[in-house]
Amino acid sequence: KSSQPRTECRSTHSRVGATRAAPGGRGSMGGAREPDATALIEAFRAFDAEGSGEISLVHLDRFLRQLDAWWDGEKAELLTQGAGVISERGYVRYEDFVDWIFAPVPAS
């Protein structure tokens, strides 16, 4: 079993052992990322041999399975589709994905 925090899943937002973004976080608002977000981007960058800012769904699936065996290719694909981070080539824009993960959760 992993010592990582459990994954919280909701129909509109998902978190992968993440903390909330600091006010003024990156993304459409601009600004600096949290250290955890920067570390996650660096981890994804290891799968980005072309330096394109994109990784395959297969690589994302492998990455997520390392966090928790619950993840599979179908769940990874649904997560990225829900986040709107699939490029025209069918790859995951990982910086956008990380920004989405760390975005503040809207108040209910």
Side-chain angles (χ1 to χ4, degrees):
K1 272 243 167 186
S2 172
S3 62
Q4 293 289 325
R6 296 298 302 164
T7 303
E8 172 193 331
C9 289
R10 293 194 262 161
S11 60
T12 58
H13 227 72
S14 294
R15 300 260 182 232
V16 181
T19 57
R20 289 185 177 208
R26 198 166 177 266
S28 60
M29 301 285 289
R33 287 191 175 100
E34 287 189 29
D36 289 344
T38 301
L40 188 54
I41 288 170
E42 291 303 317
F44 284 134
R45 208 168 266 145
F47 291 100
D48 182 9
E50 297 174 6
S52 65
E54 299 176 346
I55 59 172
S56 71
L57 280 168
V58 171
H59 285 126
L60 178 63
D61 177 43
R62 288 181 191 158
F63 182 86
L64 292 173
R65 283 180 199 234
Q66 289 178 358
L67 294 176
D68 193 318
W70 176 84
W71 289 101
D72 62 28
E74 183 180 343
K75 291 174 185 156
E77 186 173 356
L78 288 171
L79 179 66
T80 55
Q81 287 175 351
V85 296
I86 301 294
S87 73
E88 290 179 8
R89 298 184 330 146
Y91 284 68
V92 178
R93 295 183 315 270
Y94 58 85
E95 288 196 34
D96 292 343
F97 182 61
V98 170
D99 288 342
W100 179 79
I101 291 170
F102 282 84
V105 177
S108 303

